[in-house]
Amino acid sequence: MLGLVRRNLRGSAHKLREQAYISLVRPHLEYCSVVWNPYTKKSISKVENIQRQAARFVTNNYHRRESVTGMLRDLQWTSLESRRQAASLILMYRIHHHQIAINPDHYLTLMVQSSTRSYHPLKYQAIQSRIQLYRYSFFPRTVNWWNNLPGDVLALPTAEAFKRAVAAHI
């Protein structure tokens, strides 16, 4: 899809290229990303490299010595990995608050009350697994991220407020 956009918008304005990437290419990279979220460094870098190529295309800067990280910062694009993490946390919020037809009681167990500083009534017990395939699936991975969020973020009343707080926290 990025190749199609490159061929057809070669001489167009910067804003048009950026809008084309955000509306045509990025949805392909983020489609069902909550489910297929890659966990190996190799897979993560393959997906991130597409966004890095898009940054070069949008800025029309293909010089080898130019920093793509600087281009991404100038474009104010967050990494696709952090966007996938935020999407997973938002889905977890919706599951927790019964806004989606997934019963959290089937998959999650609330943390047992303790006197440790990490206890919060909205946190879940970590899911242990010996099998790597399950360890990096949605629930075990997202429970770890969920439990690392501050308690005031977990207690936010609306999904929109939670989404903004997660974006600021990640």
Side-chain angles (χ1 to χ4, degrees):
M1 186 54 76
L2 181 59
L4 175 83
V5 171
R6 275 182 173 167
R7 281 190 305 273
N8 291 311
L9 299 178
R10 188 169 312 206
S12 61
H14 164 79
K15 282 293 184 189
L16 181 64
R17 292 179 197 206
E18 183 175 11
Q19 190 62 38
Y21 167 73
I22 290 171
S23 60
L24 296 174
V25 179
R26 191 188 279 171
H28 285 273
L29 298 173
E30 293 180 342
Y31 180 73
C32 293
S33 65
V34 172
V35 177
W36 66 261
N37 194 353
Y39 61 91
T40 62
K41 289 187 184 286
K42 181 180 178 181
S43 299
I44 292 169
S45 67
K46 276 185 175 182
V47 175
E48 291 292 337
N49 280 339
I50 297 170
Q51 178 158 295
R52 295 173 72 80
Q53 290 173 9
R56 286 194 179 276
F57 165 70
V58 167
T59 60
N60 200 23
N61 189 346
Y62 294 97
H63 301 291
R64 290 176 55 193
R65 293 201 171 124
E66 291 295 324
S67 169
V68 179
T69 306
M71 292 177 207
L72 291 169
R73 189 176 38 251
D74 292 343
L75 291 167
Q76 297 177 347
W77 290 355
T78 57
S79 71
L80 295 173
E81 183 176 14
S82 63
R83 290 176 61 86
R84 287 191 303 271
Q85 182 178 0
S88 296
L89 287 168
I90 292 163
L91 181 62
M92 183 71 142
Y93 178 89
R94 291 187 171 143
I95 290 170
H96 176 78
H97 290 282
H98 302 285
Q99 296 175 353
I100 293 180
I102 297 174
N103 188 351
D105 300 333
H106 290 266
Y107 304 100
L108 304 166
T109 306
L110 284 172
M111 193 177 280
V112 178
Q113 186 171 0
S114 67
S115 61
T116 63
R117 283 185 268 169
S118 66
Y119 172 75
H120 190 277
L122 298 177
K123 292 190 176 185
Y124 291 103
Q125 286 183 355
I127 299 171
Q128 303 297 324
S129 174
R130 292 178 307 169
I131 301 168
Q132 191 172 17
L133 183 65
Y134 181 66
R135 185 182 312 137
Y136 294 107
S137 65
F138 174 76
F139 282 111
R141 185 191 296 199
T142 308
V143 163
N144 291 333
W145 294 334
W146 177 268
N147 289 341
N148 288 330
L149 290 174
D152 57 332
V153 173
L154 296 176
L156 288 170
T158 65
E160 285 302 316
F162 182 79
K163 190 183 295 187
R164 285 191 299 274
V166 164
H169 190 269
I170 293 180

